[in-house]
């Protein structure tokens, strides 16, 4: 899709029929329009698949708009329409199986200044393709070992460091091996105790998948090219989770390693990082307090840039922490009020041989730092952000969330990592106020979900002062998801 300009400004083109739009109409036509209490329509049942074959998927379409760009040197508003189709097939039984998941993520109606990348477009791609086994009673009666080998996605713990993306239009993929040992659940059906998950230990060695193509012109045209992985980028990890650490407390501990090296056509910062951390939480429940605390230290070596001429290794010493405390009230709409604080270190001195900027690896950020897409102003790096969030559930399948967060740089001599804005003198560090609203509903439970969201950034001194001179910005989106 080409881009056009007139008199130095964007020319707004009328929406054109797209493959995503036509697919949405076709899928919606297959949804029963009557009683929402009926069982949702499923591809598995519609094609009469045998018991050893599981079929399903989702189609999501999201329209985004932005009143003012949040990148220096780019003026005007922005828009984009993104669609993502996922098709999933699994063959086998409880013990042995094979799985393949296809992803088709595309973008439309974007302009030449839209920050389009591989987080928006990954057309006609194999997201997952692996074989697996589930082995019972391996070390003791009632336990289980799950094994997978091939291309896969992964949610790890809080999803702050490794995640299967949910809001972002494309999804992180990895190729390698993953194993998990799961202890027997406490209690048994015989004594009537609740059946819940037991301790779990995960171990993995993975090669992160590089989404392709990367050239802007080809992304504009939604061109398809096979993604790839290589042994020059390696991710390994151990993750231990105890859902019954003490009383109703849950605990986690983990260590993650990332090693990357330059390869032809793909320069890197040659990161060699080890991240170790832990998490403890009390899950939300009606009429009680809950909390969550997570912290991680990061050590290793990295380089300041991806330039081939940059051969200076910097000593990486970074950390992040998240803390929140909430209360769920026994009232109409089950309101939950949450106070929270996030801190991720930044580089204290750009001229020394250290780098204190925290690297969030392959984590997700939308659930804490507002919508991403063409907005995405905050990330888990060089950031200090307290906040308050209110969650309401006014009815089955409906939820409302409102949040406010004032944001500062953790290190004033470093930059805001999402747009590179900083103050070399280290005098200004206030990024601004982020205000967010989100509403979700399910007109057809199990089949059709709608989400409406908005975020407003009141630019602080760091963004509003020259040379950045960025204005306040309002972002909004409307998203529909069909599950089949």
């Amino acid at each position: 899709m080409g881009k056009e300009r007139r008199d130095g400004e964007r020319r707004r083109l009328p929406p054109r029929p797209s493959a995503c739009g036509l697919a949405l109409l076709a899928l919606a036509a297959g949804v029963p329009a009557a009683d929402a209490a009926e069982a949702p329509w499923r591809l598995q049942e519609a094609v009469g698949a045998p018991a050893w074959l599981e079929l399903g998927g989702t189609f999501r379409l999201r329209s985004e708009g932005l009143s003012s760009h949040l990148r220096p040197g780019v003026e005007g508003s922005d828009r984009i329409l993104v669609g993502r189709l996922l098709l999933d097939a699994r063959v086998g039984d409880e013990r042995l199986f094979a799985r393949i998941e296809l992803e088709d993520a595309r973008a439309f109606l974007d302009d030449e200044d839209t920050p389009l990348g591989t987080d928006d477009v990954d057309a006609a791609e194999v997201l997952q393709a692996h074989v697996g086994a589930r082995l019972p009673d391996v070390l003791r009666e009632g336990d289980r070992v799950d094994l997978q080998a091939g291309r896969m996605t992964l949610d790890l713990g809080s999803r702050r460091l490794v995640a299967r993306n949910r809001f972002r239009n494309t999804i992180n993929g990895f190729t390698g091996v993953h194993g998990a040992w799961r202890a027997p659940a406490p209690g048994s059906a015989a004594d009537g105790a609740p059946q819940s998950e037991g301790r779990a230990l995960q171990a993995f060695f993975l090669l992160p998948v590089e989404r392709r193509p990367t050239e802007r012109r080809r992304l504009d045209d939604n061109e398809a090219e096979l993604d790839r992985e290589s042994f020059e980028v390696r991710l390994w990890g151990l993750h231990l989770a105890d859902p019954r650490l003490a009383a109703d407390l849950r605990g986690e501990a983990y260590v993650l390693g990332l090693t990357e090296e330059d390869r032809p056509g793909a320069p890197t910062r040659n990161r060699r990082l080890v991240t170790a951390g832990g998490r403890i939480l009390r899950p939300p429940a009606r009429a009680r307090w809950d909390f969550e605390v997570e912290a991680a230290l990061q050590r290793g070596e990295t380089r300041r840039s991806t330039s081939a001429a940059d051969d200076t290794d910097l000593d990486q010493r970074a950390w992040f922490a998240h803390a929140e405390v909430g209360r769920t009230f026994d009232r109409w709409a089950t309101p939950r009020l949450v106070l929270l604080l996030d801190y991720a270190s930044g580089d204290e001195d750009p001229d020394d041989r250290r780098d204190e900027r925290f690297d969030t690896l392959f984590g997700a950020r939308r659930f804490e730092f507002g919508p991403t897409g063409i907005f995405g102003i905050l990330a888990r790096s060089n950031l200090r952000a307290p906040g308050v969030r209110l969650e309401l559930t006014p009815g089955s399948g409906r939820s409302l969330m409102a949040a406010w967060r004032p944001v500062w740089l953790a290190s004033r001599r470093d930059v805001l990592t999402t747009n590179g804005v900083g103050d070399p003198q280290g005098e200004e560090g206030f990024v601004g106020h982020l205000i967010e609203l989100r509403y979700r509903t399910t007109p057809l439970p199990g089949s059709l979900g709608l989400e409406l969201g908005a975020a407003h950034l009141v630019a602080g001194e760091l963004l509003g002062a020259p040379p950045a001179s960025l204005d306040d910005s309002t972002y909004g989106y409307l998203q529909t998801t069909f599950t089949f």
Side-chain angles (χ1 to χ4, degrees):
M1 177 188 298
K3 302 294 178 287
E4 300 184 30
R5 280 189 175 265
R6 180 177 56 191
D7 298 332
E9 297 184 355
R10 281 193 193 85
R11 179 182 176 187
R12 294 300 187 189
L13 304 176
R16 294 179 288 177
S18 67
C20 287
L22 295 176
L24 180 61
L25 293 175
L27 290 173
V31 179
D35 190 358
E38 295 179 1
W41 185 89
R42 289 292 183 262
L43 178 64
Q44 171 88 16
E45 300 171 359
V47 302
W52 50 264
L53 173 62
E54 298 178 11
L55 297 173
T58 63
F59 178 77
R60 189 181 74 181
L61 194 65
R62 182 171 68 234
S63 177
E64 306 178 34
L66 186 66
S67 67
S68 177
H69 270 282
L70 294 169
R71 295 176 295 150
V74 183
E75 299 180 354
S77 59
D78 204 356
R79 63 172 181 180
I80 196 171
L81 177 69
V82 292
R84 185 181 72 196
L85 176 65
L86 296 175
L87 291 173
D88 192 11
R90 182 185 185 277
V91 296
D93 54 27
E94 284 298 313
R95 294 208 173 191
L96 297 173
F97 68 91
R99 182 180 183 184
I100 184 168
E101 184 178 19
L102 305 179
E103 175 189 60
D104 190 60
R106 299 175 184 249
F108 305 91
L109 306 181
D110 53 292
D111 297 300
E112 64 181 17
D113 287 333
T114 300
L116 191 69
T118 59
D119 51 348
D120 305 296
V121 176
D122 196 12
E125 186 54 52
V126 178
L127 179 62
Q128 298 196 81
H130 59 257
V131 294
R134 176 170 291 183
L135 310 175
D137 304 327
V138 175
L139 298 180
R140 56 176 171 165
E141 184 178 359
D143 74 354
R144 190 180 85 226
V145 171
D146 295 330
L147 302 173
Q148 295 182 51
R151 184 174 288 188
M152 65 193 74
T153 61
L154 179 62
D155 271 335
L156 196 67
S158 67
R159 305 177 59 249
R160 294 186 176 101
L161 297 176
V162 180
R164 176 182 168 113
N165 311 86
R166 297 178 185 172
F167 188 85
R168 200 180 77 184
N169 204 44
T170 62
I171 299 173
N172 291 330
F174 306 91
T175 298
V177 292
H178 177 278
W181 173 79
R182 306 184 190 279
S188 65
D191 60 21
Q195 292 297 302
S196 61
E197 54 197 34
R199 295 187 183 92
L201 175 63
Q202 300 182 62
F204 53 85
F205 180 85
L206 302 169
L207 309 178
V209 173
E210 178 189 354
R211 294 181 296 277
R212 300 180 65 82
T214 58
E215 299 88 346
R216 174 59 189 253
R217 174 189 60 80
R218 300 181 65 193
L219 292 171
D220 274 337
D221 294 333
N222 290 303
E223 289 190 16
E225 180 181 342
L226 289 179
D227 295 347
R228 67 186 185 187
E229 57 281 299
S230 73
F231 277 93
E232 276 69 38
V233 184
R234 305 176 292 278
L235 175 70
W236 59 267
L238 294 171
H239 182 276
L240 175 65
D242 188 342
R244 289 175 177 255
L245 186 64
D248 53 0
L249 299 183
R250 300 182 181 180
E252 299 174 8
Y254 53 82
V255 58
L256 306 172
L258 176 68
T259 302
E260 65 179 6
E261 303 167 6
D262 293 338
R263 59 189 184 278
T268 71
R269 294 178 60 206
N270 292 82
R271 293 175 294 173
R272 296 176 292 282
L273 305 177
V274 174
T275 305
R279 176 180 177 231
I280 186 172
L281 69 153
R282 187 190 196 200
R286 200 178 185 102
R288 79 173 191 185
W289 293 92
D290 60 83
F291 74 92
E292 179 185 1
V293 176
E294 181 173 6
L297 296 174
Q298 196 169 71
R299 296 290 185 266
E301 294 181 337
T302 186
R303 292 178 183 170
R304 203 171 299 279
S305 71
T306 61
S307 171
D310 184 0
D311 58 0
T312 301
D313 289 327
L314 305 179
D315 186 17
Q316 178 86 357
R317 297 185 180 183
W319 65 285
F320 100 92
H322 169 85
E324 68 177 63
V325 59
R327 171 78 180 184
T328 302
F329 298 92
D330 191 11
R331 297 288 187 270
W332 176 84
T334 321
R336 179 174 179 251
L337 185 64
V338 186
L339 301 178
L340 61 161
L341 173 65
D342 282 276
Y343 184 96
S345 61
D347 193 18
E348 294 294 339
D349 185 351
D351 299 321
D352 64 11
R353 297 289 294 270
R354 290 184 180 180
D355 187 352
E356 293 97 353
R357 183 190 295 176
F358 187 78
D359 191 317
T360 195
L361 303 178
F362 302 94
R365 53 188 171 123
R366 188 271 180 270
F367 61 93
E368 285 179 339
F369 301 128
T372 51
I374 59 174
F375 186 66
I377 188 61
L378 301 181
R380 197 171 290 105
S381 185
N382 192 30
L383 171 140
R384 175 166 52 92
V388 58
R389 183 173 68 235
L390 176 64
E391 303 167 359
L392 300 173
T393 309
S396 177
R398 291 181 292 162
S399 66
L400 179 66
M401 185 274 291
W404 165 63
R405 305 198 79 166
V407 182
W408 290 263
L409 297 182
S411 171
R412 293 189 176 190
R413 297 196 62 187
D414 199 358
V415 300
L416 184 64
T417 58
T418 54
N419 63 6
V421 174
D423 179 4
Q425 280 70 46
E427 297 178 357
E428 300 294 349
F430 183 55
V431 177
H433 298 273
L434 177 64
I435 303 167
E436 181 187 359
L437 292 171
R438 185 191 68 210
Y439 176 70
R440 290 172 175 167
T441 185
T442 53
L444 294 177
S447 291
L448 185 64
L450 296 178
E451 181 171 325
L452 177 67
H456 180 72
L457 181 72
V458 182
E461 291 83 358
L462 179 73
L463 299 180
S469 302
L470 298 177
D471 297 326
D472 297 355
S473 185
T474 301
Y475 166 87
Y477 70 93
L478 175 60
Q479 174 177 290
T480 179
T481 304
F482 177 59
T483 301
F484 56 92

